[in-house]
Amino acid sequence: MARLGIIALGMAAFLAALPGSPAWAKLILQAPGAGRLQAVIDAASPGDVIRLQAGKHEGPVTIGKVLTLEGQSGAVVAGGGSGSVITVTAPRSIVRGLEIRGSGRNLSEMDSGVFVAKSATGTRVEDNTILDNLVGIYLHGAEDSLAKGNRIVGMREGRTSEAGDGISLWNAPGAQVVENDISFGRDGIFTKTSKRNVFRGNTLRSLRFAIHYMYTNDSEVSGNVSVGNNVGYAIMYSKNLHVEDNISDGDRDHGLMLNYANGSVITGNTVRGRLQPVERWTAAGRMSGAHAVPNTGPADVAPNDRGMRLGPEKCVFIYNANKNEFRNNLFEGCSIGIHFTAGSEGNAMSGNAFVRNRNQVKYVGTRHLDWSQQGRGNYWSDNPAFDLDGDGIGDNPYRPNDLVDRVLWISPQAKVLMNSPAVQVIRWAQTQFPALLPGGVVDSHPLMAPPRKSSHD
């Protein structure tokens, strides 16, 4: 008891030194089975630290005053399968170092491992293991809140549409989601109707969308890693974003998708495709028409003799998005490097590397678009260019598509004629008479080498 008193006295002195902490703040140790956890929380004073010892502690609980609820190694807060396991309504509270499991399964009630209410501004949810919950962490209007360093494993069974997200954020200006490890469930991070948010350094696996943006403006998405998801980064109905240094590795449909996303900077990102089991397309079915994005059909890639198929189908898909800058990105090994449509011609592209994509660009339109800025274009791995003056810029413009490509996109059945003499004559004629070339992308200053090292080197 003397040792515990020394710990409590030391903790009280430390907490008293913190801004806004009362001088009488104390450490409360709670053993499993030593009474209802909610009763301990209700009896604590603002600023107290409740530390749970190893073992199972029964939830659900609500933190309605400024407290720290933390756990020693092996401490578990278990919900009863109804509602949220831990609900935070008090500002500047902390939930950390716990294993949290067993929320309800009601999406309309927002059942979560940790539910942070609008009143809980500045709350920190950090270094927890959050398992078997509908939603891992829900930042529901909690301005300037933080979810950091958590490991979240969502629902592994059932329909994706009935699963929750790893971290869900709604109308929480200034909230940050940093350095979390998220797998399974629906979306890794889902944000809607918010602003001034930071999503940085998260690792996301085995999900529908790794990061799903809806109506979230003036925010940052940086340094995240998406591996083996259906879509890496889905940026929708948002503006003024900085999307930097993210990785999409082996995602299925799109590494990066912009839908009604405008005025943003997309720089330093890597989308890398890989051969994947064809069952990823057939077992769960393909998404179609999500958020007004039309189903653009399966990739023009048949499975090989080992039942493998190239993915993502598109490194980048841009749908009705404009005034964005794409700089110094690497798009490698996809069925299509970049596909843009529905009035998405107003984007600046320079300094990017398009490497070993089966089709570098898909654009079904008649406008002529120059993808170079201030005398600097992009690197194209299939460009057989010369650089006689040694300035690092190809001597001739590069066109990723020709008239035959356009015909194939409009009438895919025409691909049976690909090796016919007539097609070869058409392609030869276009090289001799450039006026025959259709509208589309032209890079008037193609780079002779990728701007940064790519994985094929």
Side-chain angles (χ1 to χ4, degrees), residues 9-256:
L9 183 61
M11 180 61 70
F14 171 74
L15 290 172
L18 293 178
S21 295
W24 57 86
K26 61 183 180 297
L27 171 67
I28 301 169
L29 289 178
Q30 174 74 0
R36 291 183 61 247
L37 179 55
Q38 185 64 61
V40 176
I41 293 172
D42 292 342
S45 299
D48 285 353
V49 175
I50 301 173
R51 181 175 297 164
L52 307 184
Q53 295 178 326
K56 183 178 178 180
H57 301 260
E58 296 293 340
V61 297
T62 297
I63 300 175
K65 62 190 74 172
V66 183
L67 294 173
T68 295
L69 181 64
E70 63 181 21
Q72 296 177 346
S73 179
V76 179
V77 179
S82 177
S84 295
V85 182
I86 298 174
T87 299
V88 184
T89 61
R92 303 184 307 282
S93 297
I94 300 174
V95 178
R96 68 178 170 217
L98 298 165
E99 180 177 314
I100 302 165
R101 59 169 64 241
S103 78
R105 293 291 188 265
N106 192 324
L107 279 171
S108 63
E109 295 296 325
M110 301 176 286
D111 292 346
S112 310
V114 182
F115 182 86
V116 184
K118 182 178 181 179
S119 55
T121 58
T123 287
R124 301 170 65 94
V125 182
E126 54 190 10
D127 301 324
N128 301 286
T129 298
I130 302 176
L131 310 173
D132 190 32
N133 301 285
L134 183 64
V135 177
I137 300 170
Y138 209 132
L139 304 179
H140 192 261
E143 188 171 356
D144 296 326
S145 53
L146 173 69
K148 181 179 180 181
N150 302 283
R151 184 173 74 88
I152 302 172
V153 181
M155 296 171 57
R156 293 172 178 261
E157 299 178 352
R159 297 169 61 89
T160 301
S161 60
E162 297 173 353
D165 307 309
I167 297 176
S168 195
L169 185 151
W170 173 80
N171 192 24
Q176 299 188 39
V177 179
V178 179
E179 297 172 4
N180 301 281
D181 187 298
I182 304 173
S183 57
F184 297 100
R186 186 170 56 189
D187 298 338
I189 301 169
F190 178 37
T191 173
K192 55 184 181 294
T193 317
S194 193
K195 59 186 176 182
R196 303 193 316 275
N197 300 118
V198 174
F199 302 83
R200 182 177 62 242
N202 302 283
T203 301
L204 309 115
R205 302 182 303 273
S206 302
L207 299 153
R208 183 185 67 163
F209 297 164
I211 294 182
H212 187 181
Y213 249 70
M214 295 284 290
Y215 305 103
T216 297
N217 304 321
D218 306 306
S219 297
E220 172 189 332
V221 183
S222 65
N224 302 286
V225 178
S226 169
V227 180
N229 303 301
N230 290 356
V231 174
Y233 306 91
I235 311 298
M236 303 180 177
Y237 304 98
S238 302
K239 63 182 180 180
N240 300 332
L241 306 179
H242 199 86
V243 183
E244 180 176 9
D245 294 336
N246 301 286
I247 294 174
S248 165
D249 191 344
D251 292 323
R252 190 188 73 178
D253 296 335
H254 316 306
L256 174 63

Side-chain angles (χ1 to χ4, degrees), residues 6 128 154 200 226 330 384 409-410 416 420:
I6 292 172
N128 301 286
R200 182 177 62 242
S226 169
L330 170 62
W409 294 333
I410 296 173
V416 299
S420 68

